[in-house]
């Protein structure tokens, strides 16, 4: 059994995965699962929480390794964290070496965007494509690319930092003028609350918002959307338009056959439909008739929130049991 950990901005998701079923029945390989809320203030408490979790699972299962999907740029062979992502105290952390020394089992660490791509390309909606890209919409935007049939990570592992792509080329680069502000999932909550005159913020960096003192999450946003809230409908339309224009920009560079859209919010059919409609509108502009840029397909990531866990397990297998 593998313990798979997915370090996201707001939480650490985990599961116990039966690696004997991974290649033949990936949808049946995941067993016990759960999550830990990210409230960590320093590396010591962060690491201790991981040790405690894995040891608890080791007491119940025969754990042969730990497979990690991490929300930051890293050396995926040495397992050293370059960009710490939402865990700002982790810059330079030799995560693979540190966990192996403490837990006494092999550890593999992969970037979350690459992990999701491995799952979708091997088993999911991108299976069979030679050129494809994936965007995972979460607290940030993880990107990953398969070009000419190979996973493209960049020499140092920095390929796919889509969160920091500027969205207005006439303005200085900043968090406000970056894709993370207009394409990450917290855009929906932030814009909705702003438009109804409620601007309470619990933690903007982690995408945590409040409405009348209570947490306001993506679930609450979509509940209002499905109830016919016109403000929510307008926010979703604008959000989908932002994503469609971003996809068009990436297509100008990559020219892929398909984009997979992943992340927890993509469980909502209405979001994928809105993105497809918005991309159609982009390609219907008169300017595009002159450019004749091939229009990619927009696919919903089939593994949903489990993609990073499955992808982490695939990277573990590639590290320790290459085919």
């Amino acid at each position: 059994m593998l313990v798979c950990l997915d370090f996201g901005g707001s939480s650490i998701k985990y599961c116990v995965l039966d690696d004997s079923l991974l290649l033949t029945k990936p949808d049946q390989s995941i067993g016990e699962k759960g999550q830990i809320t990210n409230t960590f203030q320093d590396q010591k408490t962060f690491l201790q929480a991981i040790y405690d979790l894995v040891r608890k699972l080791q007491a119940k299962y025969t754990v042969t390794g730990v497979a990690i999907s991490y929300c930051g740029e890293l050396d995926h062979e040495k397992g050293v964290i370059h960009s710490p992502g939402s865990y700002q105290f982790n810059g330079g952390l030799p995560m693979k070496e540190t966990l192996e020394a403490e837990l006494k089992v092999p550890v593999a660490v992969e970037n979350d965007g690459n992990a999701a791509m491995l799952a979708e390309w091997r088993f999911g909606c991108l299976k069979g494509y030679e050129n494809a890209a994936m965007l995972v919409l979460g607290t940030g935007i993880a990107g990953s690319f398969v070009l000419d049939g190979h996973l493209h990570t960049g020499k140092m592992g920095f390929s796919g930092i889509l969160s920091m792509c500027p969205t207005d080329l006439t303005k200085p680069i900043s968090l406000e003028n970056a894709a993370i502000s207009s394409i990450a999932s917290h855009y929906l909550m932030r814009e909705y609350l702003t438009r109804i005159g409620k601007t309470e913020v619990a933690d903007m960096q982690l995408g945590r918002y409040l409405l009348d003192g209570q947490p306001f999450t993506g679930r609450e946003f979509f509940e209002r959307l499905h109830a016919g809230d016109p403000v929510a409908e307008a926010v979703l339309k604008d959000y989908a338009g932002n994503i469609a224009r971003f996809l068009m920009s990436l297509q100008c560079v990559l020219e892929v056959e398909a984009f997979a859209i992943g992340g927890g919010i993509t469980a909502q059919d209405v979001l994928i439909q809105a993105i497809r409609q918005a991309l159609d509108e982009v390609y219907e502009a008169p300017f595009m008739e002159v450019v004749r840029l091939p229009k990619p397909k927009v696919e919903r990531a089939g593994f949903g929130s489990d993609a990073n866990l499955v992808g982490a397990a695939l990277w573990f297998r590639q590290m320790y049991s290459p085919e």
Side-chain angles (χ1 to χ4, degrees):
M1 293 286 192
L2 294 178
V3 172
C4 299
L5 305 174
D6 176 21
F7 294 88
S10 58
S11 66
I12 301 173
K13 298 176 183 176
Y14 69 87
C15 77
V16 176
L17 184 143
D18 186 343
D19 49 329
S20 69
L21 297 176
L22 179 61
L23 299 185
T24 57
K25 300 178 180 179
D27 56 331
Q28 299 178 28
S29 64
I30 294 179
E32 179 179 342
K33 60 194 303 187
Q35 65 181 23
I36 303 172
T37 302
N38 174 15
T39 58
F40 308 110
Q41 300 298 317
D42 55 58
Q43 191 177 103
K44 182 178 179 180
T45 55
F46 167 82
L47 289 173
Q48 190 60 53
I50 299 171
Y51 300 155
D52 291 345
L53 171 62
V54 174
R55 285 177 179 136
K56 181 183 73 173
L57 296 172
Q58 284 176 320
K60 298 170 64 176
Y61 305 94
T62 301
V63 175
T64 57
V66 176
I68 292 173
S69 163
Y70 187 84
C71 59
E73 286 62 53
L74 52 90
D75 183 323
H76 67 174
E77 293 186 351
K78 296 180 179 179
V80 177
I81 307 300
H82 294 320
S83 298
S86 297
Y87 304 84
Q88 290 298 307
F89 41 77
N90 278 343
L93 173 67
M95 180 174 279
K96 179 181 185 316
E97 178 183 319
T98 300
L99 296 188
E100 285 180 341
E102 183 71 24
L103 299 171
K104 311 304 181 186
V105 293
V107 175
V109 186
E110 180 58 283
N111 167 266
D112 55 355
N114 291 338
M117 171 61 89
L118 286 172
E120 295 298 341
W121 189 39
R122 183 67 184 261
F123 304 120
C125 66
L126 296 178
K127 186 177 181 178
Y129 286 113
E130 287 292 308
N131 292 277
M134 182 167 184
L135 277 67
V136 180
L137 307 175
T139 307
I141 311 159
S144 187
F145 318 109
V146 167
L147 303 177
D148 296 327
H150 299 282
L151 183 67
H152 177 76
T153 62
K155 183 176 181 179
M156 298 293 291
F158 279 82
S159 175
I161 313 180
L162 301 184
S163 290
M164 297 312 300
C165 291
T167 52
D168 186 339
L169 300 182
T170 68
K171 296 179 180 179
I173 296 175
S174 66
L175 282 177
E176 290 72 27
N177 180 29
I180 192 171
S181 290
S182 56
I183 300 174
S185 61
H186 58 78
Y187 173 94
L188 296 171
M189 288 80 82
R190 186 191 72 229
E191 280 298 304
Y192 181 84
L193 294 177
T194 298
R195 295 184 193 190
I196 65 172
K198 301 282 189 177
T199 56
E200 297 173 273
V201 177
D203 190 329
M204 183 174 177
Q205 183 177 357
L206 296 180
R208 295 173 181 162
Y209 295 89
L210 300 175
L211 176 59
D212 298 328
Q214 299 299 314
F216 184 72
T217 66
R219 175 177 294 180
E220 280 73 33
F221 172 84
F222 281 105
E223 286 177 353
R224 290 173 181 241
L225 177 73
H226 292 310
D229 186 322
V231 177
E233 291 174 354
V235 169
L236 179 68
K237 180 177 176 62
D238 290 345
Y239 181 57
N242 294 345
I243 294 172
R245 289 184 289 274
F246 191 67
L247 295 182
M248 184 263 189
S249 296
L250 291 175
Q251 183 70 343
C252 288
V253 178
L254 301 171
E255 202 221 305
V256 296
E257 302 161 83
F259 283 97
I261 309 297
I265 62 172
T266 58
Q268 300 285 338
D269 288 335
V270 66
L271 174 61
I272 299 299
Q273 293 167 3
I275 294 172
R276 287 173 175 158
Q277 181 177 342
L279 190 63
D280 287 343
E281 292 173 359
V282 167
Y283 273 79
E284 288 167 3
F287 174 72
M288 296 301 290
E289 294 180 6
V290 178
V291 178
R292 301 179 67 84
L293 182 69
K295 184 167 71 172
K297 294 181 180 179
V298 173
E299 307 280 9
R300 181 170 67 183
F303 283 93
S305 60
D306 288 338
N308 294 2
L309 297 169
V310 172
L314 286 170
W315 176 243
F316 182 97
R317 183 181 180 86
Q318 187 172 329
M319 283 280 291
Y320 295 104
S321 303
E323 298 176 4

